[in-house]
Amino acid sequence: MIVVRHLNESWSQRILWLLDEVQAPYKVAFYQRDARTNLAPVELREIHRKSPVITEGDRVIAESGAIID
Ligand SMILES: N[C@@H](CCC(=O)N[C@@H](CS)C(=O)NCC(=O)O)C(=O)O
């Protein structure tokens, strides 16, 4: 199943909207920006440097355009 690695206040919100629109099954893993730097936490950066990113098993897909395609 697709897991949306969702960073608060980020473009990954668009991926949640898209998956809802196409009624695709997915789960959400939530990540919070660092309160001081506003950067993504290390747990997310270990998967990919930027949000949005989705995973499905071992596959990692980053970049909004690639995810939407
Ligand atoms: N070109 C990328 C842009 C990704 C991007 O700028 N992500 C920002 C949030 S919208 C981010 O991950 N910021 C947290 C950080 O840099 O640590 C895309 O469209 O996916």
Side-chain angles (χ1 to χ4, degrees):
M1 179 177 290
I2 293 170
V3 181
V4 178
R5 308 289 175 161
H6 179 62
L7 180 66
N8 67 303
E9 296 181 27
S10 79
W11 293 352
S12 65
Q13 181 65 49
R14 300 183 303 180
I15 305 305
L16 299 178
W17 288 333
L18 171 73
L19 291 170
D20 276 343
E21 282 295 322
V22 300
Q23 299 182 348
Y26 68 92
K27 291 196 256 185
V28 184
F30 294 94
Y31 300 87
Q32 289 291 320
R33 291 178 184 268
D34 182 279
R36 189 177 57 82
T37 65
N38 213 33
L39 295 176
V42 67
E43 295 82 8
L44 180 57
R45 294 160 71 95
E46 283 173 350
I47 298 168
H48 187 74
R49 210 175 64 78
K50 290 284 185 184
S51 172
V53 59
I54 65 171
T55 57
E56 188 172 29
D58 292 341
R59 295 177 67 203
V60 177
I61 305 176
E63 282 291 330
S64 306
I67 294 169
I68 291 165
D69 277 352

